[in-house]
């Protein structure tokens, strides 16, 4: 497996879709926080999901998830997928993206790169261990994040 990118810009500037579930029942959300590296001798992706997000249920209940990246032309679509909840609407229909299976999870045909990940760990972020300014900026009026670490088991390139 090989994937070369500017890891400091990949999530923050390009954004991504985090998807979990099965072909019959899955959800996706836009993410802009994440990281890539090596842990326990494995290539990994780290993502952060607020406990209030619908996708949180899916990633908790499945062993695999995908992180997929898209060409700039899909920026507006990713904006919608990050601001609307699958609890309230059919985000897939509204997005116009084409769902496809990727390993034991789902991705979208339009993705440039899909990282298929096997969930290794979930950890709740503890606000007591964060600087006060971070808590004030990100958590005073919103739900906390859980961190998920997934082993990259496959890289699908368009």
């Amino acid at each position: 497996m090989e994937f070369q990118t500017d890891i400091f810009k990949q999530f923050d500037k390009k954004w991504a879709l985090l998807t979990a579930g099965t072909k019959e029942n899955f959800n996706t959300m836009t993410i802009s926080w994440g990281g890539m590296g090596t842990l326990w001798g494995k290539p990994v992706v780290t993502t952060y999901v607020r406990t209030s997000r619908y996708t949180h249920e899916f990633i908790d209940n499945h062993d695999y998830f995908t992180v997929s990246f898209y060409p700039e032309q899909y920026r507006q679509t990713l904006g919608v997928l990050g601001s609307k909840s699958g609890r309230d609407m059919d985000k897939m229909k509204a997005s116009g993206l084409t769902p496809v299976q990727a390993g034991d999870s789902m991705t979208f045909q339009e993705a440039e790169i899909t990282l298929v990940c096997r969930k290794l760990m979930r950890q709740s972020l503890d606000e007591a261990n964060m600087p006060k300014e971070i808590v004030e900026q990100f958590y005073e009026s919103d739900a906390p994040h859980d961190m998920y670490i997934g082993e990259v088991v496959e890289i699908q390139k368009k």
Side-chain angles (χ1 to χ4, degrees), residues 92-158:
M92 295 307 89
K93 184 176 180 182
S95 76
L97 296 177
T98 311
V100 293
Q101 192 156 358
D104 288 333
S105 192
M106 298 296 293
T107 190
F108 300 92
Q109 188 174 20
E110 294 80 5
E112 289 180 313
I113 299 285
T114 295
L115 307 175
V116 179
C117 303
R118 180 174 67 95
K119 186 172 59 179
L120 297 176
M121 178 187 160
R122 176 184 148 272
Q123 175 71 49
S124 297
L125 298 184
D126 185 351
E127 294 176 20
N129 294 322
M130 297 177 198
K132 182 181 176 187
E133 66 270 14
I134 297 293
V135 173
E136 289 172 352
Q137 182 177 358
F138 294 101
Y139 298 107
E140 281 193 344
S141 62
D142 214 336
H145 283 93
D146 282 345
M147 174 181 66
Y148 294 90
I149 299 174
E151 175 187 6
V152 179
V153 297
E154 182 182 352
I155 299 173
Q156 297 179 355
K157 299 179 186 177
K158 195 168 200 179

Side-chain angles (χ1 to χ4, degrees), residues 83-98:
S83 62
K84 305 293 182 189
S85 175
R87 285 186 188 107
D88 304 327
M89 65 178 287
D90 184 348
K91 290 189 343 178
M92 295 307 89
K93 184 176 180 182
S95 76
L97 296 177
T98 311

Side-chain angles (χ1 to χ4, degrees), residues 2-49:
E2 186 173 317
F3 177 47
Q4 295 182 10
T5 188
D6 179 342
I7 61 172
F8 295 110
K9 291 183 181 174
Q10 192 67 37
F11 284 98
D12 187 41
K13 301 299 180 206
K14 287 197 76 165
W15 299 352
L17 290 179
L18 170 65
T19 308
T22 64
K23 185 176 182 179
E24 294 76 28
N25 189 27
F26 67 94
N27 199 60
T28 192
M29 63 179 271
T30 303
I31 59 173
S32 63
W33 291 5
M36 298 177 216
T38 305
L39 182 64
W40 303 312
K42 301 175 183 304
V44 297
V45 169
T46 304
T47 63
Y48 305 87
V49 181

